[in-house]
Amino acid sequence: MKKMTLLATSAVVVAGFAASASAVDVEMYGQVNKSFIAYDDGKDTNTAVVDNDISSTRLGVKGSQMLDNGLTASVLVEYEMQSSASDQVTQNETPGASTADSDNQGAGSLTERHTRVGLSGDFGSVWIGRTSSATDSTLEQDLVGAQDVMGSSVAYMGGSLKFWNGTDYSTGDVADFYAGRDGVGRGNAVRYDSPIYKGLQFRTSAVNGGTYDAAVYYAGKYQEFEVNAALGYAMLEARPTTPAVGTTENSENLLSGSVSVKHDSGLAGTFAYSKASNETSGEEDPTAYYFKAGYSWDAFEVAADYSMSETGGKDELTTYGVAGQYNLGNGVSAAAFYKTFDLDLDAAASTDPGSINLFGVNMRVKF
């Protein structure tokens, strides 16, 4: 980590610590996270170099300052940099063209992830700005290994790939048929975090657009078992009357949660669940289940996972995969994975498409 000193007259310090006349120590951090993937959709096999959207390439600055009244002010500015996001790469349907020629390949983008200020004290913490909502990460409490390439948000890797039914590609992609949703995500919000009491913490937030959510998080240790868990509920903003194929676009409420347990031996397991209310008459509530098990020893981690997702139209997406990760130390890790997406369309559909097989190797370097 690198340290630097910013004077109180600088723009960042003025935004976060207007009442302070002293210098503030801030910390720069970040990571580069890249994957080489190959996929087989039953029609073609192709490859691509992508930015791993499970934990994207990013650069940030964070700092805090103790005030005279006992409160602590803080600031966080973080940007994401991606030239070819792993959840955006898709097949190029132009004959003779490769994935690298697709429209989603470009010179790269710089996107704001977090820009927020906050105050903390005995009452807890209040955050204001673009940041995670209270329910962000409720679906992703995970103590199992191989997290660089495997997690409950299965569409982060290969989410824009389409299914081949023998004559044409599907209208929707993997993400369209995946009903799992990790809370509200990030947005311009006001968020409150309670103090942590015996491992429990309550969070609630109001996000621009009329979305409100709340969640309870837990982290603790019982003898040789470590436990992480979260459960959240969100009242979502108004949705379009004619949603896309996507599974939660016409929903008004969302329940999401996960629990993960790890034994001192290295064995671990995770379960995640998401259910959104469906306001379309005659359709089911979009629901997703996720299971993951693994083992870690020394610097090595192996894991396998399975998920089942059902959209409001009763289309079912099943995924399963295996992965391994080696942690080299000092924030450097290497991983490899294999996963399969299998789509079972509602009985009204005439032809189920073939599966998509996705392979990849990954390297992440933190600083």
Side-chain angles (χ1 to χ4, degrees):
M1 293 293 183
K2 295 183 179 179
K3 294 281 186 174
M4 64 178 67
T5 300
L6 298 181
L7 297 178
T9 53
S10 70
V12 172
V13 175
V14 169
F17 317 117
S20 175
S22 60
V24 177
D25 285 334
V26 298
E27 182 180 276
M28 179 181 290
Y29 67 93
Q31 67 178 26
V32 176
N33 198 9
K34 298 283 186 175
S35 294
F36 175 77
I37 63 171
Y39 62 84
D40 179 1
D41 60 18
K43 178 179 183 288
D44 290 315
T45 300
N46 220 320
T47 63
V49 175
V50 298
D51 290 279
N52 186 341
D53 201 57
I54 295 176
S55 181
S56 59
T57 296
R58 64 193 61 167
L59 179 66
V61 177
K62 59 184 176 181
S64 61
Q65 173 75 14
M66 179 72 74
L67 306 179
D68 294 339
N69 55 14
L71 299 177
T72 298
S74 63
V75 62
L76 173 65
V77 178
E78 183 179 292
Y79 283 85
E80 174 182 79
M81 291 153 284
Q82 295 191 109
S83 59
S84 179
S86 61
D87 67 335
Q88 296 297 314
V89 169
T90 189
Q91 298 96 330
N92 193 314
E93 300 176 36
T94 302
S98 68
T99 301
D101 298 321
S102 299
D103 291 338
N104 55 42
Q105 312 293 308
S109 63
L110 183 65
T111 307
E112 178 187 12
R113 293 190 82 244
H114 297 275
T115 306
R116 58 101 171 136
V117 293
L119 281 175
S120 302
D122 293 339
F123 64 91
S125 301
V126 175
W127 316 105
I128 302 175
R130 178 170 176 81
T131 193
S132 294
S133 67
T135 53
D136 190 23
S137 78
T138 51
L139 200 68
E140 297 180 337
Q141 300 301 297
D142 191 3
L143 296 171
V144 185
Q147 294 178 28
D148 281 4
V149 291
M150 178 178 285
S152 59
S153 297
V154 299
Y156 283 165
M157 189 69 73
S160 289
L161 293 174
K162 296 183 178 182
F163 294 89
W164 176 255
N165 65 8
T167 58
D168 199 3
Y169 283 105
S170 58
T171 301
D173 54 31
V174 169
D176 288 328
F177 293 104
Y178 178 61
R181 185 166 175 178
D182 184 30
V184 177
R186 292 183 302 275
N188 289 297
V190 176
R191 189 181 104 195
Y192 167 73
D193 294 2
S194 74
I196 298 175
Y197 177 72
K198 294 186 177 180
L200 286 168
Q201 185 182 51
F202 171 76
R203 302 178 189 175
T204 185
S205 62
V207 185
N208 279 7
T211 293
Y212 303 91
D213 63 350
V216 177
Y217 292 80
Y218 175 78
K221 187 81 182 284
Y222 292 94
Q223 296 181 353
E224 65 268 27
F225 293 94
E226 183 180 357
V227 180
N228 281 11
L231 181 64
Y233 178 79
M235 295 179 290
L236 305 175
E237 61 185 290
R239 296 291 165 175
T241 55
T242 307
V245 179
T247 56
T248 60
E249 293 305 304
N250 56 347
S251 301
E252 291 187 357
N253 302 291
L254 174 69
L255 178 70
S256 58
S258 56
V259 58
S260 188
V261 180
K262 183 176 182 179
H263 189 266
D264 286 344
S265 65
L267 289 170
T270 293
F271 170 72
Y273 172 80
S274 171
K275 184 174 183 177
S277 65
N278 193 332
E279 304 306 314
T280 301
S281 176
E283 293 193 358
E284 302 292 332
D285 291 338
T287 305
Y289 301 86
Y290 177 80
F291 303 88
K292 182 181 180 183
Y295 178 68
S296 59
W297 71 101
D298 298 328
F300 295 93
E301 303 170 348
V302 292
D305 69 353
Y306 169 86
S307 75
M308 191 283 289
S309 168
E310 184 176 279
T311 69
K314 299 182 181 180
D315 300 322
E316 290 187 2
L317 175 69
T318 302
T319 72
Y320 53 88
V322 293
Q325 184 170 318
Y326 177 54
N327 301 306
L328 290 82
N330 297 317
V332 181
S333 55
F337 72 92
Y338 161 78
K339 67 192 306 183
T340 292
F341 302 103
D342 187 65
L343 181 62
D344 183 12
L345 296 174
D346 183 41
S350 58
T351 305
D352 284 335
S355 299
I356 300 173
N357 296 303
L358 182 64
F359 313 81
V361 292
N362 187 85
M363 184 171 182
R364 177 164 71 161
V365 179
K366 297 180 180 179
F367 57 88

